[in-house]
Amino acid sequence: MKLILLGAPGAGKGTQAAVISRELGIPAISTGNILRAAIQEGTPTGMKAKTYMDEGHLVPDEVIIGIIKERLAEPDCAKGFILDGVPRTIAQAEALEAAGIKFDHVVSLEIADATIMERMSGRRVCGGELVTRKDDKPETVKNRLAVYHRETEPLKDFYRERGVLYPVEDMGPVEATSKAILAILRQDG
């Protein structure tokens, strides 16, 4: 199963990707995690991406598509994968299609901006510790949401036209949203 998780920053894509990955036995691939690792390692791609990420802007398409193509060629993706954080633009979606990468499902996590602002005032990590990333500052979150609405939200129509879009309303508890997503995937999968 080849799956994309769409949603605004803070909508819970990473959380849901981890649940789906565990339930379906396919890797969750987060471009954010890949890029943050490259930044931590100080790679040229990472340092280039850092400037964009710190300001809440999108990393250039050629960097993202190259990273994704390399990752999807790895053996653990042979039975499927979950993309979290890409594509973010119509151009990226078209570049993935041009590279022969097609998707079975595109799940759009639907959540209000006000809820996202509240959630991103501090994130809980696995141990329950409250953390705030540099890109979670209120002014950065507002910019990221504006970029999402302008650049990424049009992907819903793009994938709706291809018959693979599945909107899922935020159901509050993570488990309830996970259950709704898995029901869609198992019904169609």
Side-chain angles (χ1 to χ4, degrees), residues 1 5 12 16-17 20 50 56 69 98 109 113 137 140 155 169 177 179 182 187:
M1 179 174 301
L5 289 178
Q16 293 302 330
I20 297 164
K50 183 179 186 328
K69 284 170 54 177
L109 300 175
D113 286 4
K137 291 180 182 176
T140 305
L155 286 169
E169 294 296 325
T177 304
K179 185 177 178 181
L182 289 166
Q187 175 184 348

Side-chain angles (χ1 to χ4, degrees), residues 11-12 14 23 25 39 42 45-46 50 59 75 88 92 110 114-115 117 124 129 142 158 165 176 179:
E23 289 290 322
I39 290 167
T45 300
K50 183 179 186 328
V59 176
R88 288 193 176 183
Q92 287 180 355
E110 303 295 322
T115 303
M117 291 297 296
R124 299 235 176 246
E129 177 187 346
K142 286 178 186 174
F158 182 87
L165 182 72
K179 185 177 178 181

Side-chain angles (χ1 to χ4, degrees), residues 15-65:
T15 300
Q16 293 302 330
V19 171
I20 297 164
S21 173
R22 185 174 57 250
E23 289 290 322
L24 301 182
I26 56 176
I29 300 166
S30 164
T31 52
N33 288 345
I34 293 169
L35 289 170
R36 280 188 284 278
I39 290 167
Q40 187 174 7
E41 293 168 14
T43 68
T45 300
M47 299 322 294
K48 184 175 179 183
K50 183 179 186 328
T51 304
Y52 294 96
M53 291 172 69
D54 284 349
E55 295 176 7
H57 296 293
L58 298 179
V59 176
D61 290 351
E62 66 274 4
V63 175
I64 296 296
I65 300 303

Side-chain angles (χ1 to χ4, degrees), residues 96-112:
L96 289 170
E97 281 188 353
I101 302 167
K102 306 277 189 218
F103 301 95
D104 304 308
H105 296 85
V106 177
V107 174
S108 177
L109 300 175
E110 303 295 322
I111 184 168

Side-chain angles (χ1 to χ4, degrees), residues 7-11 13 55-58 111-118 120 135 137-154:
K13 296 180 300 293
E55 295 176 7
H57 296 293
L58 298 179
I111 184 168
D113 286 4
T115 303
I116 289 171
M117 291 297 296
E118 182 180 316
M120 291 182 74
D135 59 345
K137 291 180 182 176
E139 60 276 7
T140 305
V141 172
K142 286 178 186 174
N143 184 49
R144 292 174 66 201
L145 286 169
V147 170
Y148 167 77
H149 290 301
R150 184 178 64 246
E151 302 283 337
T152 305
E153 203 165 36

Side-chain angles (χ1 to χ4, degrees), residues 178-189:
S178 300
K179 185 177 178 181
I181 293 169
L182 289 166
I184 290 168
L185 299 178
R186 288 180 174 138
Q187 175 184 348
D188 287 355

